[in-house]
């Protein structure tokens, strides 16, 4: 297997606050990696650095062997075409109906015709368990779980090679969380995509991940196969997966 | 003493940093105006929102401005027996100054605030980040259509404001102050000069640019939830209004010196 994404010694600070302090991570083609860690451990910043929404202070990121940190905007746009992303709050465009949200990347990015795009949007909605009647609603009319599904549909509509999931189950009830986890696992497998997720929901991590990586204070302190996480022998990991207040992990007060 | 100097230094650095960010933002936005892809439909939609929907408020304010100008100048010039000056004063003030400035300030309040609130909400809910992950450049998709619509529609709005303002002056002069209608119209026509009107329209285009730029800039960079969006909106309106008056002075000194 070749590495789809390679991250080398990534650093990022906001003023005096060092969020990422030397992250090294390789994600193989078709692998699903879940990054776990508490709030403020630098998970979101890591995703944003890979997508180029934030510029790291030092270190390198390669996607398909191409260095991306100092990419120009047109090269970056070409690179981002390989990506799909499900945002934490779904981040649907509230000025557009659901179907235009789902096929947005195809209409704007690839100039697909509207009639064709709508058909594709309805097909994609069906893959995340939503009927055609949802297509003409606006995002504001949907519940949180439905918005997440639409967000997932939007992330997979262009059949991306790489999909990022930012806290896919945050704010959902346990049943809806499981539905979303199931959908994510199935759709990623269907597409054969490389997936990188960040979460602090262990149920979600266990369901989605081939490999779990734990981030703490801007560094990777443990990584291993999903099945190994219960016998990690790492006090930080044990405290986190068991959700104990006492242990070596001290919670960060300030948000990053 | 050291603290005092440090405070001055910090705020000076902060000021230059934000001016730099603003110029960078303006530069990137302008560079995207001339590079494809172009979103013509979005420009047209923004023209409706910015221009057409501002017609009532711009029309009303310029009507009252013209009316009050006629009233003020009538009482002011009465001592000099200069009733004939009313028409000229109304035409000159409205076309050169008040038409564009009043329309600009109204649009800054209406449109600058709306743009900042919309882009601000999009920014804090990750919608702007989502655009870039969907192979769409947020500058092209969000900023450029608004700036173009502002630059195109402001002069059109000012043409309407000029006409209504001069009409307001006519109504007060003729119906309230018993001026002779045909001589008032004649004096208006004589006083109406193309360079005056054109200078007002150039100003209008510049105002349209700064208002939409400030709305986009503050909205795009808003952070921190609802409060951040609120202060972005305030900043957009305040900075837009101040820049309008500053640009007005600068452009006037260029045009009429």
């Amino acid at each position: 297997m070749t590495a789809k994404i390679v991250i080398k010694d990534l650093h990022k600070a906001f003023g005096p606050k060092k969020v990422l302090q030397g992250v090294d991570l390789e994600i193989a083609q078709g692998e699903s990696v879940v990054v776990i860690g508490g709030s403020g451990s630098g998970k979101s910043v890591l995703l944003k650095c890979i997508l180029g929404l934030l510029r790291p202070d030092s270190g390198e990121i390669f996607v398909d062997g191409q260095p991306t940190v100092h990419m120009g905007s047109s090269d970056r746009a070409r690179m981002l075409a390989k990506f799909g992303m499900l945002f934490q709050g779904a981040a649907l465009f509230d000025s557009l109906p659901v179907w235009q949200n789902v096929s947005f990347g195809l209409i704007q990015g690839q100039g697909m015709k509207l009639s064709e795009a709508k058909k594709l949007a309805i097909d994609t909605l069906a893959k995340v368990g939503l009927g055609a009647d949802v297509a003409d609603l606006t995002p504001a009319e949907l519940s949180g779980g439905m918005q997440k599904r639409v967000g997932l549909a939007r992330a997979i509509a262009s059949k991306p090679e790489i999909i990022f999931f930012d806290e896919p189950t945050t704010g959902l009830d346990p049943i809806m969380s499981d539905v979303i986890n199931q959908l994510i696992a199935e759709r990623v497998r269907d597409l054969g995509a490389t997936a990188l997720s960040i979460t602090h929901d262990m149920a979600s991590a266990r369901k989605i991940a081939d490999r779990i990586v734990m981030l703490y204070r801007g560094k990777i302190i443990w990584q291993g196969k999903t099945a190994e996480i219960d016998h990690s022998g790492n006090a930080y990991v044990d405290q986190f997966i068991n959700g104990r207040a006492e242990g070596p992990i001290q919670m960060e007060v300030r948000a990053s | 003493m050291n603290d005092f100097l440090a405070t001055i230094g910090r705020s000076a650095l902060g000021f230059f940093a934000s001016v730099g960010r603003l110029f960078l933002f303006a530069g990137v936005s302008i560079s995207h105006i001339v590079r494809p892809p172009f979103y013509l439909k979005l420009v047209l939609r923004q023209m409706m929102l910015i221009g057409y929907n501002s017609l009532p408020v711009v029309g009303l304010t310029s009507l009252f401005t013209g009316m009050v100008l006629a009233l003020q100048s009538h009482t002011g010039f009465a001592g000099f027996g200069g009733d004939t000056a009313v028409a000229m004063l109304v035409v000159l003030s409205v076309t050169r100054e008040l038409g564009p400035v009043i329309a600009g300030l109204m649009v800054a309040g209406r449109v600058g605030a709306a743009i900042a609130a919309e882009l601000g909400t999009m920014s804090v809910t990750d919608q702007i980040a989502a655009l870039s992950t969907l192979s769409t450049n947020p500058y092209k998709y969000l900023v450029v259509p608004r700036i173009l619509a502002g630059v195109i529609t402001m002069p059109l709005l000012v043409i309407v404001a000029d006409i209504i303002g001069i009409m307001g002056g006519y109504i007060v002069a003729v119906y309230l102050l018993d001026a002779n209608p045909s001589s008032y119209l004649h004096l208006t026509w004589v006083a109406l000069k193309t360079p005056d009107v054109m200078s007002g329209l150039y100003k209008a285009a510049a105002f349209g640019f700064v208002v939409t730029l400030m709305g986009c800039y503050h909205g795009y960079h808003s952070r921190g939830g609802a409060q951040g969006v609120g202060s972005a909106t305030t900043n957009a309106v305040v900075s837009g209004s101040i820049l309008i008056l500053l640009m007005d002075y600068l452009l006037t000194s260029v045009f009429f010196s």
Side-chain angles (χ1 to χ4, degrees), chain A residues 48 51 53 73 77 80-81 83 85 87-88 91-96 104-105 108-109 114 154, chain B residues 32 35 37 39 41 45 118 121-122 125-137 141:
Chain A
K48 286 184 178 163
L51 288 172
L53 301 173
S73 66
L80 284 175
F83 282 82
M85 167 128 182
F87 285 85
Q88 187 174 350
L92 301 174
F93 305 122
D94 32 38
S95 56
L96 299 174
F104 189 91
Q108 304 299 344
L114 286 183
R154 184 174 71 181
Chain B
H32 280 293
R35 283 187 283 165
Y39 296 104
K41 242 188 223 161
R45 192 163 117 209
E118 188 181 0
T121 310
M122 290 189 75
T125 56
D126 280 339
Q127 291 181 50
I128 291 185
L131 276 178
S132 358
T133 66
L134 293 165
S135 2
T136 305
N137 187 307
Y141 189 79

Side-chain angles (χ1 to χ4, degrees), chain B residues 143-192:
Chain B
V143 178
V144 168
R146 284 168 174 77
I147 290 181
L148 274 182
V151 173
I152 297 168
T153 55
M154 265 306 287
L156 302 176
L157 272 176
V158 167
I159 291 177
V160 176
D162 284 353
I163 294 170
I164 294 180
I166 291 170
M167 192 185 77
Y170 174 87
I171 290 170
V172 167
V174 170
Y175 294 101
L176 206 68
L177 308 173
D178 295 324
N180 180 311
S182 62
S183 77
Y184 187 93
L185 277 183
H186 176 71
L187 288 168
T188 300
W189 190 247
V190 170
L192 194 61

